[in-house]
Amino acid sequence: MANPAKKTVFAPWDDTNEKPLITFEGVTKKFGSFVAIDDLNLQIYTREFFALLGPSGCGKTTLMRMLAGFETPTQGRITLAGQDIGPVPPNKRPVNMMFQSYALFPHLTVWDNIAFGLRRSDMPRDQIPARVEEMLRLTRMEKFAQRKPHQISGGQRQRVALARSLAKAPKLLLLDEPLGALDKKLRHDTQFELMDIQEKTGTTFVIVTHDQEEAMTVASRVAVMNQGKVVQVSTPDRIYETPATAYVADFIGEVNLVEGVASPNPAGGYAIAWAEGQAPIVSACDKSIAQGARVSFAIRPEKVRITPDRPEGAQNAMQGKVHDIAYLGNISTYHVLLPTGQIIKAQTANSRRVENREFTWEDDVWLSFTDTAGVVLTE
Amino acid sequence: MQLRRTFLILVPYLWMLLFFLVPFFIVMKISLSQVALAIPPYTPTLDITQGWDGLVKFFSQLSFSNFQFLTTDDLYWRAYVSSLEIATVATAITLLVGYPIAYGMASAPDEWRPTLMMLVILPFWTSFLIRIYAWMGILGREGFVNSTLEWLGIIHEPLTILNTNWAVFIGIVYGYLPFMILPIYAALDKLDVSLTESAQDLGCTQIKAFWLITVPLSRPGVVAGCFLVFIPALGEYVIPSLLGGSGTLMIGKVLWEEFSSNRDWPVASAVAVVLLLILVVPIILFQRNQQRQQEAEQ
Ligand SMILES: Nc1ncnc2c1ncn2[C@@H]1O[C@H](COP(=O)(O)OP(=O)(O)O)[C@@H](O)[C@H]1O
Ligand SMILES: [Mg+2]
């Protein structure tokens, strides 16, 4: 306590000496003429908890299946620890997968399900029970070892599937929507449990999800995918704060997108003309954007202040009318209608009781934000 | 509501009573009677007009002598044993042929499946008897098989296939194959491909994954298919009499000869009752299998 060890930030992707565990080099996967994965490049590092995030059908499962060995790339190559895994069959890869459907063997007990992979490995027979017990303890399933999969709950099945895929201590664990079948509360608990297990075992995890909150919670880095392409790979906070494209901004959390024309300010940053008769939005963005380029200005609702009067010295301020209020318990989102017809969302914490809130429908309000609150996006 | 349910349960029971139990008791009764030169060719016949005395006389004339007779002539028990052997071997061959076909159907692309299913069921659209007759033409000395083999130069003398046990096996395998394929297909079709994939993922080769996952999980279908072939094959009459030879001994044929050539209805009935008793064991096992499968699915 007296002398806490200095915490080193886990960021192998920023370290040029670090070699990635997995690389995708120009990988394309076609089903017939349909392109499921389109010229994809990606690096995943040892001990990472890497999330693939994207809408249904964007190719997440296909990407996982290529890592596990059930699909071969049409073009490009995938390496694991520097070795091209193209010709290696699934049963010879140091990779295990937890299937979306769990795929537990219904005719085997929980114990035998977990031991299944160990019995196919070169682990000496007498060491298998100890390893199975260890996995049962890790997933807190000791009491259910002799049950069959249909005799346990959905959440317990999920843990058995996890235990089974971790038992062989793979270099890489693939989890395809592992929490998809669980209810919200259990999902939250299990997310933290997964992170805990990942840390304890030191395994590299690649998790697929279409739930952005889940990706943000568990992952060290998130890859946002769209139609077979990776749009952005970054840490959760970077993805949230500095999305690369309007698609990413819109996909992750709530966002206000205002389209306009950028022109550089002499003092740095840009002024974005977005509507006739409205002051341009000032943004201290350091990207280089051509004069007159069409851009989207993206700002998160919680970064927009809502006040009854024009705030003093605000860098950006606009007037509007409260059009709608979404009350979410801890926070409220105000949908403010601007004279231009656009709706801007502003979020505030509900520190007062609902009956005493400051604004109500049809009130005139001011929205304001600083020049660093939003980002300028060219795509 | 209650009434409707009672009615719904009653219908199948009435059906059973009318078309199974009543005929069974008639056959049972004949098996306890004696041959007679009369119409019908056995005594006693129940004459209700004589009242209680008639009933007493009727029952006093019934005896188990026909069943005793079955034990004195070793033709009968040899026929039973031989039928069991033929049915067992034929069921095993049907399984070996049927499983790969069912497996192929279950792994075929979705759009092909209705067609494949159709092809399996198609033979049912013609009479069983005609199809077995057709095999006589195929397997005979001048038949399709021999002429093809001779034309290919593989044989110079025609093979004797027809009128041997081989022809009986071919007939049973051909005739009952759909009963083997359909339940196995149903079991395999239900299997999630991710099960064998995860077995491979955990270190199995494809063949090993098939043995450790697919085979055990398709077992209920295999068991159902085997019973569906074995039970009718055991009492089979058409196939051994059309395709089998003089050496082919099957209980169905013996039964028919007692009934038509010897006109010994009582002995024929006794043979039938014993056959039924032999079949009760596999039928009960079959029911158990079905029940366990249903329980497992719940
Ligand atoms: N075996 C296949 N044959 C044809 N198309 C496929 C096959 N597998 C996946 N696809 C298609 O590839 C796309 C990506 O699928 P998938 O990777 O499962 O998406 P996700 O997991 O992101 O929802 C989908 O449009 C899907 O229809
Ligand atoms: Mg998927």
Side-chain angles (χ1 to χ4, degrees):
Chain A
M1 274 291 138
N3 186 14
K6 197 176 160 210
K7 219 174 180 175
T8 52
V9 185
F10 175 73
W13 47 88
D14 287 335
D15 185 348
T16 45
N17 292 326
E18 195 78 36
K19 287 228 166 50
L21 178 67
I22 302 155
T23 58
F24 282 77
E25 296 166 14
V27 173
T28 296
K29 175 71 194 178
K30 291 184 186 167
F31 294 107
S33 60
F34 177 80
V35 183
I37 298 289
D38 190 3
D39 189 25
L40 183 129
N41 292 291
L42 196 63
Q43 283 88 40
I44 300 172
Y45 294 85
T46 308
R47 302 179 76 94
E48 257 204 271
F49 202 137
F50 194 89
L52 291 169
L53 179 62
S56 193
C58 71
K60 304 178 301 282
T61 299
T62 307
L63 199 71
M64 295 285 242
R65 289 174 61 81
M66 286 197 285
L67 279 172
F70 297 116
E71 308 282 1
T72 44
T74 317
Q75 264 163 39
R77 54 180 221 142
I78 304 171
T79 66
L80 179 81
Q83 183 207 357
D84 184 356
I85 52 170
V88 185
N91 57 324
K92 295 275 191 303
R93 296 191 181 191
V95 173
N96 283 128
M97 177 149 167
M98 190 181 137
F99 287 72
Q100 201 163 354
S101 59
Y102 304 153
L104 295 178
F105 306 132
H107 58 306
L108 300 180
T109 59
V110 166
W111 208 96
D112 288 326
N113 262 284
I114 298 174
F116 190 92
L118 299 172
R119 293 198 174 119
R120 314 298 142 222
S121 69
D122 46 19
M123 177 179 270
R125 296 254 136 210
D126 53 335
Q127 287 174 26
I128 292 175
R131 180 67 182 164
V132 175
E133 299 296 334
E134 191 185 335
M135 287 299 118
L136 285 168
R137 257 197 314 281
L138 185 70
T139 49
R140 295 186 282 114
M141 287 296 296
E142 300 102 315
K143 279 193 216 131
F144 304 95
Q146 292 314 317
R147 299 256 187 109
K148 292 274 180 73
H150 67 94
Q151 295 165 324
I152 55 178
S153 73
Q156 292 168 336
R157 261 175 242 161
Q158 185 270 342
R159 307 153 99 83
V160 177
L162 182 66
R164 186 179 71 176
S165 51
L166 274 172
K168 290 180 84 173
K171 276 195 186 144
L172 173 66
L173 182 71
L174 306 171
L175 304 113
D176 193 353
E177 309 220 0
L179 313 179
L182 307 184
D183 58 60
K184 196 161 177 184
K185 178 87 175 63
L186 193 57
R187 257 177 108 102
H188 276 290
D189 297 345
T190 315
Q191 282 165 7
F192 286 102
E193 223 163 279
L194 272 183
M195 291 159 72
D196 209 37
I197 288 174
Q198 194 259 347
E199 217 156 87
K200 263 189 220 156
T201 59
T203 314
T204 310
F205 276 30
V206 176
I207 188 173
V208 158
T209 173
H210 61 249
D211 176 350
Q212 47 109 357
E213 237 176 81
E214 183 167 296
M216 308 284 277
T217 309
V218 299
S220 58
R221 280 194 307 159
V222 177
V224 181
M225 290 181 67
N226 187 26
Q227 297 185 346
K229 282 186 192 290
V230 168
V231 192
Q232 186 175 9
V233 186
S234 205
T235 55
D237 58 310
R238 294 284 86 202
I239 293 246
Y240 189 77
E241 301 284 346
T242 56
T245 68
Y247 174 83
V248 175
D250 201 23
F251 193 77
I252 312 277
E254 275 195 280
V255 73
N256 295 299
L257 287 169
V258 182
E259 288 184 16
V261 175
S263 47
N265 270 341
Y270 295 88
I272 299 152
W274 59 282
E276 287 287 326
Q278 294 274 345
I281 292 170
V282 185
S283 172
C285 167
D286 54 6
K287 278 192 248 181
S288 72
I289 299 166
Q291 161 78 35
R294 290 212 61 83
V295 295
S296 300
F297 177 75
I299 185 163
R300 303 284 180 195
E302 73 273 15
K303 300 226 164 65
V304 181
R305 266 187 74 200
I306 180 166
T307 47
D309 305 304
R310 189 190 168 106
E312 289 291 313
Q315 282 146 315
N316 293 290
M318 42 187 78
Q319 199 184 15
K321 237 187 214 339
V322 176
H323 181 69
D324 222 339
I325 305 173
Y327 173 72
L328 299 171
N330 54 343
I331 52 170
S332 289
T333 305
Y334 295 90
H335 296 233
V336 176
L337 182 65
L338 303 183
T340 59
Q342 274 158 303
I343 290 200
I344 299 287
K345 287 177 269 185
Q347 220 166 47
T348 54
N350 290 329
S351 42
R352 303 186 193 181
R353 293 187 62 87
V354 167
E355 325 59 281
N356 307 333
R357 71 177 160 209
E358 239 176 313
F359 314 103
T360 182
W361 285 270
E362 301 300 326
D363 279 0
D364 282 320
V365 292
W366 280 87
L367 299 176
S368 57
F369 47 92
T370 64
D371 62 347
T372 53
V375 287
V376 184
L377 304 170
T378 52
E379 283 178 64
Chain B
M1 199 58 229
Q2 194 63 43
L3 205 72
R4 221 184 84 179
R5 199 183 302 163
T6 317
F7 180 74
L8 279 177
I9 295 169
L10 212 65
V11 171
Y13 275 95
L14 273 176
W15 182 273
M16 276 283 286
L17 186 75
L18 222 64
F19 295 103
F20 180 75
L21 281 180
V22 171
F24 173 73
F25 279 114
I26 293 172
V27 171
M28 186 73 203
K29 189 253 140 191
I30 298 175
S31 73
L32 301 173
S33 312
Q34 310 305 319
V35 199
L37 277 174
I39 292 175
Y42 52 82
T43 59
T45 46
L46 184 59
D47 188 354
I48 326 170
T49 52
Q50 291 184 18
W52 179 250
D53 287 345
L55 210 64
V56 171
K57 196 168 144 232
F58 171 77
F59 276 105
S60 66
Q61 281 178 7
L62 294 180
S63 79
F64 283 96
S65 60
N66 293 315
F67 291 92
Q68 270 161 7
F69 174 70
L70 293 189
T71 60
T72 55
D73 190 339
D74 70 352
L75 166 80
Y76 298 106
W77 72 261
R78 278 198 296 119
Y80 283 119
V81 170
S82 158
S83 294
L84 282 169
E85 278 170 6
I86 290 177
T88 307
V89 173
T91 304
I93 302 174
T94 315
L95 175 62
L96 289 180
V97 177
Y99 199 103
I101 297 177
Y103 188 76
M105 281 172 68
S107 17
D110 282 351
E111 63 268 25
W112 284 38
R113 292 191 187 185
T115 317
L116 293 173
M117 181 67 100
M118 183 75 175
L119 288 175
V120 170
I121 300 171
L122 202 64
F124 286 133
W125 291 9
T126 42
S127 138
F128 187 67
L129 201 61
I130 291 173
R131 286 184 284 133
I132 299 303
Y133 259 114
W135 276 102
M136 291 175 75
I138 296 170
L139 300 175
R141 284 182 76 82
E142 260 105 69
F144 177 74
V145 171
N146 274 319
S147 54
T148 307
L149 290 178
E150 262 173 286
W151 182 76
L152 287 171
I154 295 170
I155 53 167
H156 302 289
E157 281 282 295
L159 297 172
T160 317
I161 310 173
L162 192 62
N163 303 331
T164 64
N165 279 0
W166 286 112
V168 176
F169 289 138
I170 292 172
I172 294 178
V173 170
Y174 165 77
Y176 292 104
L177 194 59
F179 296 110
M180 185 63 88
I181 293 177
L182 294 178
I184 297 177
Y185 169 71
L188 288 173
D189 191 39
K190 267 189 296 191
L191 288 190
D192 186 352
V193 277
S194 65
L195 289 176
T196 43
E197 278 184 350
S198 73
Q200 275 175 265
D201 187 65
L202 292 166
C204 288
T205 58
Q206 278 191 355
I207 297 167
K208 194 102 195 211
F210 174 78
W211 275 115
L212 292 174
I213 306 300
T214 312
V215 169
L217 289 177
S218 60
R219 217 199 61 211
V222 170
V223 174
C226 286
F227 282 124
L228 287 178
V229 174
F230 180 81
I231 293 167
L234 189 61
E236 184 53 54
Y237 160 70
V238 172
I239 295 171
S241 54
L242 292 186
L243 303 181
S246 50
T248 306
L249 196 55
M250 281 193 81
I251 199 66
K253 234 171 91 182
V254 171
L255 194 151
W256 172 251
E257 271 155 24
E258 289 297 346
F259 191 77
S260 64
S261 318
N262 298 351
R263 267 186 81 75
D264 192 340
W265 287 25
V267 167
S269 299
V271 169
V273 169
V274 173
L275 178 61
L276 191 77
L277 291 178
I278 294 173
L279 282 177
V280 160
V281 178
I283 288 173
I284 288 174
L285 288 177
F286 174 69
Q287 293 293 0
R288 278 255 189 89
N289 175 61
Q290 297 297 94
Q291 208 173 337
R292 219 175 322 151
Q293 198 185 332
Q294 269 172 9
E295 276 163 15
E297 274 163 20
Q298 279 160 12

